[in-house]
Amino acid sequence: MKTNFNDSSQPTTHFEYLIIGAGPSGLQMGYYLEQSKRDYLILESGKKAGTFFNKFPRRRKLISINKRYTGNEDPDFNLRHDWNSLLSDDQSLLFKNYSKRYFPDPDDLVTYLNDYADTLNLKIKYNTPIIKIGRTDLFTLTSANAEIYTCKYLIIATGVSKPYLPAIEGIDLVENYTNVSVDPEDFIDQKVLIIGKGNSGFEMSDILMDTSSVIHVAGPESIKMAWKTHYVGHLRALNNNLLDTYQLKSLNAILDVHIDKIEKKNDKFLVSYRFVRADEAKKDVEYDRVIACTGFSFDSSLFDMSCNPNLTINDRFPEQNPEWQSTNIEHLYFAGVLMHMRDFKKSTSGFIHGFRYNIRALHHMLELKNHQVAWPYTSIPMVPQKLMETVIKRVNSTSALWQQFGFLGDLITLNENNKEAQYYKEIPIDYIPNSELVKDMDYFVLTLEYGPNHDQLDPFDVDVIRINQSATEKTDDSHYLHPVLRYYTNNEFVKEHHIVENLENEWFHKVHTEPLELFFREMIEEVSASYSS
């Protein structure tokens, strides 16, 4: 039965944990607090969960994939290709049950999120916009309804909710991705400038393709394609139709320019450029419409001076330590897209399929730090073959290390006294060195990573030299995603082992298992020798 937290007579206004925002990250955090039976409440400004997706993306098509058929029955493996589901023990709460489309409709995601909240009986107070946050000993939150809430631990799960505008003179004169019309009929025979070379800019260009006379997409940096960089936030094939029209000379163009000034001249816009690739040559171009598609940023206006968090990355994100805690405000944490500050444009913390694992890790951090609940682990005999078998099984199925490549890792600590290893899953690798988990321990960290300079190679160029599966002597040259195991003693790096890449991402052949077992044997012998001495 769903708990009613929208009853005005509800007496309790103090909670150990408060979460602001009932989007995907707020719900995921709520799930773990509910599971651990903590005293918490989610405060949501809208009348239901996931309201951001009622409007965004504007073209009403998600770029997060929903691959329903993988030929594999392993639930963890299947999450590699399910970028919309939140984590839970209820297999009915998988997004594949809500949409058959590979690139789904965001309305289906809203339905899914609300079913997730209701089915799991998460404690949510809707229609409660928070307008002010202060702090003395406790955080004090004031709602637009004049309600006061207090908590010891505050988790912000609001996402990047404010449009980000670059420092361009006259940028305030133009339309914005957040509110511009998406009716193609409103752009008939118009010359349009779109500022921003990300997915939102190209999404808008696709919307206008049928009716506009000219579309220019402008920005100072080159376009980065997701299929080349392996960062899913870079331009996706789903949105890149404009590139064909540009290269096939169909009036549209991509401009590598610095925009110095935008002026309004009667009913036209005059835009002053400096071309990046032409010795800063200057040009003024006239447009009928200018649209800023320059992304979003964190809105810190809710915080008063008593708890205003430091910002970073052009003030777009709150600055965070390895626990996703504010660097200057104790007990203030961030969940969801805001976690992306720590792997900005490198891994996938800015997306559901990345931050769902971050939030599970944050939950374990809070349980350990605030409630002395040990981080879950399994024990393994400190035997090379057993360790190898455990790692091989793990890398062939894990979704967390697959999605959060180079950011989350599995930790294997060694205990020479009882000849056992402790295996911990999915820990941020920059959290490990200063954690209690590795104090006075020798340990391994397992990650999945791309090779060096992987984003400089053309993956479709047949002349690019790739490593043959049998060529094990240069496994650390693997360019594609592959497992990496690093060994540390006294928190100092000692040695690393790369498991050679594989086209099918299957690492269970002799070429993978035998060198890995040998690596474990060599490192364990070093541990034993150090203890003996």
Side-chain angles (χ1 to χ4, degrees):
M1 181 178 179
K2 185 179 178 181
T3 307
N4 180 13
F5 283 92
N6 294 295
D7 183 349
S8 60
S9 64
Q10 178 72 22
T12 304
T13 58
H14 175 75
F15 296 84
E16 187 172 24
Y17 293 89
L18 283 175
I19 301 169
I20 301 182
S25 59
L27 300 182
Q28 187 69 86
M29 193 74 236
Y31 167 75
Y32 285 111
L33 292 175
E34 181 71 28
Q35 290 291 102
S36 58
K37 302 186 186 307
R38 299 301 168 201
D39 177 35
Y40 78 96
L41 181 64
I42 302 172
L43 299 172
E44 166 59 39
S45 61
K47 61 182 180 180
K48 60 182 181 179
T51 54
F52 176 87
F53 296 99
N54 287 329
K55 184 174 182 180
F56 301 106
R58 300 299 308 279
R59 191 171 53 161
R60 312 309 294 150
K61 183 179 288 189
L62 297 172
I63 62 173
S64 50
I65 67 171
N66 177 44
K67 188 172 178 62
R68 302 172 69 228
Y69 305 107
T70 66
N72 195 312
E73 295 183 358
D74 186 311
D76 196 16
F77 177 90
N78 287 337
L79 282 172
R80 291 181 176 185
H81 312 287
D82 171 357
W83 292 7
N84 298 285
S85 291
L86 298 179
L87 305 177
S88 80
D89 293 329
D90 189 337
Q91 289 300 298
S92 72
L93 292 173
L94 292 174
F95 187 75
K96 68 179 182 180
N97 300 322
Y98 288 77
S99 175
K100 296 181 179 180
R101 297 175 63 184
Y102 191 77
F103 292 109
D105 189 312
D107 291 333
D108 292 331
L109 182 59
V110 174
T111 300
Y112 166 74
L113 293 174
N114 282 275
D115 282 358
Y116 182 94
D118 293 348
T119 302
L120 297 172
N121 199 27
L122 302 186
K123 299 176 178 65
I124 306 173
K125 180 91 179 331
Y126 294 106
N127 298 306
T128 308
I130 299 303
I131 60 173
K132 182 181 179 182
I133 302 172
R135 184 182 180 188
T136 51
D137 291 335
L138 300 172
F139 290 100
T140 302
L141 286 65
T142 305
S143 78
N145 308 320
E147 299 163 321
I148 304 296
Y149 298 87
T150 60
C151 65
K152 183 174 182 179
Y153 305 107
L154 179 59
I155 301 170
I156 306 298
T158 54
V160 283
S161 56
K162 182 177 70 173
Y164 170 74
L165 295 177
I168 298 172
E169 183 180 349
I171 191 73
D172 55 311
L173 300 174
V174 310
E175 298 173 277
N176 193 275
Y177 171 78
T178 60
N179 52 29
V180 67
S181 170
V182 289
D183 182 354
E185 298 298 307
D186 291 342
F187 295 84
I188 291 176
D189 205 27
Q190 292 185 352
K191 185 176 182 179
V192 181
L193 170 66
I194 296 173
I195 304 174
K197 292 180 177 177
N199 280 296
S200 61
F202 281 89
E203 173 196 343
M204 189 58 59
S205 74
D206 268 8
I207 293 172
L208 308 184
M209 193 85 72
D210 291 340
T211 57
S212 61
S213 59
V214 173
I215 301 174
H216 288 172
V217 176
E221 297 182 354
S222 299
I223 295 169
K224 294 182 178 180
M225 306 298 299
W227 51 258
K228 185 175 182 180
T229 66
H230 303 113
Y231 172 62
V232 299
H234 285 147
L235 182 58
R236 303 285 295 283
L238 175 70
N239 291 323
N240 71 13
N241 289 323
L242 187 82
L243 300 183
D244 264 9
T245 69
Y246 171 41
Q247 291 299 321
L248 300 178
K249 307 304 179 187
S250 297
L251 292 176
N252 302 326
I254 310 298
L255 306 180
D256 297 332
V257 295
H258 295 287
I259 300 175
D260 291 327
K261 188 177 183 180
I262 302 171
E263 298 177 272
K264 191 75 181 287
K265 299 271 188 174
N266 299 318
D267 59 343
K268 303 284 186 179
F269 291 90
L270 187 65
V271 181
S272 301
Y273 294 138
R274 283 179 292 123
F275 285 86
V276 173
R277 301 180 187 277
D279 299 323
E280 300 290 301
K282 296 181 179 181
K283 187 175 184 179
D284 293 340
V285 182
E286 189 176 76
Y287 295 95
D288 297 297
R289 307 278 283 273
V290 180
I291 306 169
C293 298
T294 48
F296 294 84
S297 62
F298 172 60
D299 185 359
S300 63
S301 63
L302 301 179
F303 297 89
D304 69 19
M305 293 304 296
S306 66
C307 60
N308 199 20
N310 290 337
L311 302 180
T312 188
I313 310 177
N314 295 323
D315 291 344
R316 295 181 66 179
F317 288 86
E319 189 177 60
Q320 299 154 60
N321 67 19
E323 296 179 340
W324 292 290
Q325 182 176 208
S326 169
T327 55
N328 66 310
I329 306 296
E330 188 180 18
H331 298 164
L332 176 61
Y333 294 88
F334 302 93
V337 174
L338 297 175
M339 291 172 149
H340 198 29
M341 172 256 152
R342 289 178 50 213
D343 64 340
F344 186 60
K345 293 191 176 181
K346 294 178 181 178
S347 198
T348 60
S349 294
F351 311 87
I352 291 174
H353 64 286
F355 67 62
R356 61 191 177 193
Y357 304 108
N358 290 356
I359 290 171
R360 181 157 64 188
L362 174 58
H363 166 69
H364 291 317
M365 292 176 187
L366 295 174
E367 288 291 290
L368 178 63
K369 186 176 182 178
N370 299 338
H371 309 289
Q372 293 71 56
V373 177
W375 197 299
Y377 67 87
T378 56
S379 294
I380 309 167
M382 209 169 83
V383 176
Q385 182 180 353
K386 293 295 184 182
L387 291 168
M388 176 274 290
E389 290 172 350
T390 300
V391 166
I392 288 297
K393 181 179 180 180
R394 176 70 169 153
V395 297
N396 280 290
S397 64
T398 173
S399 57
L401 303 192
W402 175 273
Q403 304 292 13
Q404 288 292 66
F405 52 88
F407 182 72
L408 293 183
D410 287 356
L411 169 67
I412 308 170
T413 60
L414 304 179
N415 191 326
E416 175 65 16
N417 293 329
N418 60 13
K419 300 295 182 181
E420 278 195 341
Q422 289 75 45
Y423 196 107
Y424 301 85
K425 293 181 178 179
E426 303 159 20
I427 305 176
I429 57 177
D430 59 353
Y431 170 84
I432 291 172
N434 295 315
S435 74
E436 290 295 313
L437 303 177
V438 298
K439 187 176 181 181
D440 302 322
M441 303 290 282
D442 295 286
Y443 61 92
F444 297 92
V445 176
L446 172 67
T447 56
L448 289 178
E449 299 178 19
Y450 289 93
N453 302 317
H454 66 93
D455 56 346
Q456 304 302 313
L457 302 172
D458 183 351
F460 301 118
D461 184 351
V462 296
D463 292 326
V464 171
I465 299 175
R466 295 174 61 82
I467 292 179
N468 184 279
Q469 183 170 309
S470 63
T472 60
E473 68 276 7
K474 288 189 176 182
T475 58
D476 55 346
D477 287 340
S478 292
H479 297 305
Y480 190 61
L481 194 68
H482 65 283
V484 182
L485 195 67
R486 293 183 174 90
Y487 172 63
Y488 299 81
T489 183
N490 297 321
N491 258 338
E492 295 292 331
F493 169 73
V494 177
K495 194 174 182 180
E496 67 185 38
H497 174 73
H498 292 247
I499 301 177
V500 67
E501 66 181 64
N502 178 270
L503 179 63
E504 291 82 18
N505 307 304
E506 295 176 347
W507 296 284
F508 49 70
H509 304 289
K510 286 185 178 181
V511 70
H512 305 123
T513 60
E514 290 180 352
L516 177 61
E517 184 174 346
L518 179 60
F519 178 70
F520 273 123
R521 180 171 290 109
E522 291 174 348
M523 295 303 99
I524 288 173
E525 286 175 357
E526 284 196 18
V527 174
S528 299
S530 66
Y531 272 80
S532 299
S533 61

